[in-house]
Amino acid sequence: MARLRVRLFGVLVSLTGLLAASGVRPAAAAPLPDSLWFDAQAATTLAVQGGRFTDGLGREVVLRGYNVSGETKLEENGGLPFASVADARKSATALRTLGGGNTVRFLLSWAHAEPVRGRLDTAYLAAVTDQMRAFLDAGIRVFPDFHQDLYSRHLFDQGSWYTGDGAPKWAVDAGDYPTESCGICLFWGQNITQNHAVTKASYDFWHNAYGVQDAFLATAEKTMAYVEQRLTDDEFANVVGLDPFNEPYAGTYDSGQTSRGWERNLLWPFYAKVRARMDAAGWQDKPAFVEPNLFWNANISSQKQEGGLLDVGAIGPRYVFNTHFYDQKAISGILMWGKASDGQYADDFGSVRDRAAALGTAAIVSEFGHPLTGPVSDKAPTVVKAMYQALDSRLPGASWWSNPVDSGPVLSGTQWQWDLYNGRHHELMNGNPDKVLTSADAWNDEDLSAVALDGTGAPVLRQDGRLLDRLYPSATAGTTVAFTYEDRSRDGSAALTWNPVPSSLPNVAQLVGSGQYGLLVWRSKDSSAPTELHLPASFPAASTTVVSDLGTVAGPPGYTRSTPIAVANEPGGTGSKRLLLTASDANSLHYALVTNGATAPSATLLSAARTELSAWAAKEIS
């Protein structure tokens, strides 16, 4: 019925267009508002073109948001991200209004989707799809992730120091695995390479021992088909792809095999099978978000392993290069003294851009973050700022203004994680009633959730809102040439300013002052659709100033198709805002400085700042 309503709406729109063309308007029908026209078009399915994400209007899209949620790794809510759909809606609204996200990586559990071999748990799938819909209804794009860590919780006994998630009990029971033990392990991730039960089970999965990989693929196909059928066409359009397997690792290598050979001979064939299952399930127009060997981009030399899908050729637009990044040196507490600084991760994230370009596709960093409590949590404000800086541009702030053309594409990314229940869990670790976990993320001593509930049950951020709710180009009508954002987030009471406006632009510097600012440079296409930037809550329309070749505005007005600089609501009705910049010409260079630093700036200052920026763009960007 929902799909029929969509088709009838399309017929109605077509008839309205024909009547308008003939000069006849239905007597009872008012003209559609420009914003409604635009929102309906913007809902079109995402695709990959020219190595970038694009929408149905041909705009270059950036996906930003969070992982929802590590609660899926726990048993307290049956492998669901939320205890209820109401909590999912609360989370989705907060993710938009507090966290500034437009996308979530939505965790699924194989163990709960197929608790009995060959039998799909449709009650679980119905519940998880209803929770997914809460985010789709809030205008948030979704890519589901079949999540696993340490292969399965069922490898661990009740007295273990650690736990896992992923494979169902029957898959573990099928194997003859040793009693799990990590030895002297300070971090749960050491189980990946040191716990023989984990390494043997992982090895068996990649070699399809006992048919477990075939069973997983069958369940993945059935799950995708179920989701496709349960969602309306408009809802399903905003499911942008599938992450089929979290943080893949060989377990152990065959004799003479390297990580690169394992990716070529075992990992990539698995992804090809996933791709075929996606096509069979009705997901043929959505890319697979495929991850390389999890240690490929680790920043500890002893962990770095050759890989990054080096031997698969150009994978093209039906796949997305999907990787994670955590600063292992900072997390160790001994390999990185002090805090992160300007440009700290420029090379690490630059390698992600380079691998995606070589593979002929788009990139996303689908996990990144840093512990928010514990002995290394003091590094979090600078570490996470440096990660967002590297997503925005491959340049340090110190060199951005003098070399903007090397900024590179703006990377998509989803921070780990967004869990309403942080600090409020009731998890029986490995089913042990004498080991009830309530604090932090309730999983292997992690504490990375950017959100929690306060004493009244309202969502609140656990990190600086200036850091998380960011200005970013969510949809660019053309090609992004350069972008930077100075969030002025805090480390304690100290404002972190890593990209100050240079003294050679004194009027721009005066306009920005001590405020936040972003600068986007793009080359337009022949399109009536506007370029969009997400406006953080710290940029209310009345306090937002835009200086652009399209004009200068202090306090942009509401959006119409004839207004070059305007503000509108984000899709989904949560009240979050976006800035819309409409350039009517094709193949022209445009720039827009967006700041909240000035109150009622004078026309003289705005004009002088525009003159400086125009001269800068002409000099620095060919």
Side-chain angles (χ1 to χ4, degrees):
M1 181 62 71
R3 291 172 191 271
L4 178 60
R5 286 197 298 269
V6 171
R7 293 189 180 98
L8 287 174
F9 178 76
V11 172
L12 178 61
V13 170
S14 298
L15 287 173
T16 303
L18 289 171
L19 290 169
S22 64
V24 178
R25 183 182 300 277
L32 289 173
D34 288 317
S35 58
L36 179 60
W37 169 86
F38 174 65
D39 286 344
Q41 295 297 318
T44 310
T45 306
L46 205 70
V48 176
Q49 294 179 331
R52 313 280 177 105
F53 290 110
T54 59
D55 66 12
L57 300 171
R59 300 180 301 174
E60 181 181 300
V61 168
V62 173
L63 307 176
R64 287 287 177 88
Y66 304 84
N67 283 259
V68 175
S69 137
E71 172 74 14
T72 301
K73 303 199 293 187
L74 308 181
E75 290 297 307
E76 62 184 359
N77 283 322
L80 292 168
F82 302 98
S84 66
V85 173
D87 279 359
R89 292 195 186 105
K90 178 189 290 188
S91 181
T93 299
L95 191 142
R96 267 290 204 195
T97 57
L98 298 178
N102 66 7
T103 303
V104 294
R105 180 177 183 242
F106 194 94
L107 274 63
L108 303 177
S109 168
W110 176 21
H112 291 88
E114 189 189 12
V116 177
R117 185 166 192 160
R119 188 179 304 169
L120 207 64
D121 187 338
T122 55
Y124 171 77
L125 294 185
V128 82
T129 306
D130 287 344
Q131 293 185 8
M132 189 185 300
R133 183 181 288 108
F135 289 83
L136 298 169
D137 288 347
I140 297 170
R141 289 184 168 104
V142 171
F143 64 101
D145 156 46
F146 270 105
H147 207 83
Q148 73 80 40
D149 297 281
L150 309 183
Y151 190 71
S152 175
R153 180 177 76 95
H154 300 287
L155 287 171
F156 297 83
D157 60 41
Q158 287 192 345
S160 178
W161 290 356
Y162 301 103
T163 191
D165 65 281
K169 185 176 186 298
W170 62 259
V172 172
D173 291 344
D176 182 21
Y177 301 123
T179 301
E180 67 84 18
S181 175
C182 192
I184 302 176
C185 290
L186 300 178
F187 304 99
W188 73 259
Q190 291 175 267
N191 285 271
I192 297 168
T193 57
Q194 293 178 216
N195 189 322
H196 293 309
V198 174
T199 59
K200 181 64 168 63
S202 300
Y203 178 93
D204 281 353
F205 178 85
W206 297 114
H207 289 79
N208 197 27
Y210 320 109
V212 291
Q213 188 181 119
D214 288 342
F216 170 80
L217 290 166
T219 295
E221 179 183 340
K222 293 174 185 175
T223 298
M224 288 185 285
Y226 184 94
V227 169
E228 190 271 340
Q229 289 298 314
R230 193 172 177 89
L231 297 176
T232 68
D233 287 344
D234 283 349
E235 290 167 343
F236 188 58
N238 280 312
V239 177
V240 298
L242 175 75
D243 185 343
F245 200 92
N246 178 67
E247 297 184 349
Y249 182 65
T252 56
Y253 295 118
D254 290 321
S255 178
Q257 190 180 57
T258 63
S259 59
R260 178 171 176 172
W262 173 78
E263 282 192 349
R264 179 183 63 245
N265 297 329
L266 290 169
L267 182 61
W268 185 253
F270 168 75
Y271 288 147
K273 293 174 184 176
V274 168
R275 178 70 268 174
R277 298 284 185 158
M278 293 176 70
D279 295 348
W283 292 48
Q284 60 271 17
D285 296 329
K286 303 180 187 296
F289 286 59
V290 296
E291 302 184 31
N293 169 5
L294 80 96
F295 291 124
W296 166 72
N297 203 34
N299 68 339
I300 298 178
S301 58
S302 62
Q303 283 190 342
K304 285 192 175 183
Q305 301 186 48
E306 189 177 23
L309 306 178
L310 289 171
D311 299 314
V312 300
I315 62 178
R318 304 195 75 213
Y319 299 89
V320 168
F321 185 64
N322 170 20
T323 188
H324 298 174
F325 183 80
Y326 295 94
D327 187 343
Q328 305 293 342
K329 295 179 181 178
I331 291 172
S332 75
I334 57 175
L335 297 177
M336 185 188 106
W337 297 103
K339 309 290 183 70
S341 58
D342 178 28
Q344 184 93 9
Y345 307 118
D347 290 343
D348 297 299
F349 285 60
S351 67
V352 176
R353 291 177 171 88
D354 292 342
R355 273 313 298 145
L359 290 165
T361 191
I364 187 168
V365 183
S366 64
E367 282 191 31
F368 63 94
H370 190 81
L372 299 183
T373 55
V376 299
S377 60
D378 65 310
K379 302 178 189 295
T382 57
V383 165
V384 179
K385 178 182 173 74
M387 290 176 177
Y388 274 114
Q389 180 193 51
L391 287 172
D392 289 344
S393 170
R394 68 186 301 156
L395 296 173
S399 60
W400 191 91
W401 284 91
S402 61
N403 197 27
V405 292
D406 287 340
S407 188
V410 181
L411 283 177
S412 295
T414 50
Q415 183 176 337
W416 185 272
Q417 66 158 326
W418 190 268
D419 177 15
L420 287 185
Y421 309 119
N422 178 272
R424 292 172 171 239
H425 292 284
H426 188 84
E427 174 71 4
L428 279 61
M429 185 174 180
N430 296 317
N432 188 343
D434 296 323
K435 197 172 185 180
V436 179
L437 305 182
T438 60
S439 63
D441 296 343
W443 196 85
N444 287 344
D445 296 323
E446 284 198 343
D447 187 12
L448 284 91
S449 178
V451 71
L453 298 176
D454 67 11
T456 70
V460 292
L461 293 178
R462 302 179 65 229
Q463 295 174 269
D464 190 343
R466 288 161 289 211
L467 172 64
L468 300 181
D469 187 12
R470 306 179 63 78
L471 187 83
Y472 60 90
S474 52
T476 302
T479 303
T480 301
V481 176
F483 176 70
T484 189
Y485 180 53
E486 179 48 76
D487 57 47
R488 311 272 195 185
S489 57
R490 269 50 171 182
D491 181 9
S493 61
L496 300 171
T497 303
W498 292 352
N499 191 359
V501 178
S503 58
S504 58
L505 302 172
N507 290 291
V508 176
Q510 180 181 344
L511 182 67
V512 169
S514 60
Q516 299 166 291
Y517 81 88
L519 178 55
L520 174 67
V521 182
W522 76 102
R523 191 168 296 280
S524 62
K525 288 182 179 177
D526 186 11
S527 172
S528 60
T531 289
E532 292 187 52
L533 294 98
H534 170 69
L535 275 182
S538 58
F539 282 73
S543 303
T544 297
T545 299
V546 181
V547 178
S548 171
D549 65 289
L550 304 176
T552 59
V553 178
Y559 172 68
T560 69
R561 291 172 69 179
S562 60
T563 306
I565 302 174
V567 170
N569 288 329
E570 294 274 23
T574 61
S576 57
K577 302 293 184 181
R578 51 184 162 168
L579 179 71
L580 305 175
L581 307 169
T582 304
S584 59
D585 54 346
N587 198 33
S588 296
L589 194 71
H590 301 280
Y591 66 83
L593 173 82
V594 186
T595 183
N596 59 7
T599 301
S602 68
T604 301
L605 179 59
L606 291 174
S607 177
R610 185 180 184 187
T611 298
E612 287 179 352
L613 285 171
S614 295
W616 168 83
K619 176 184 177 184
E620 300 295 344
I621 302 172
S622 57

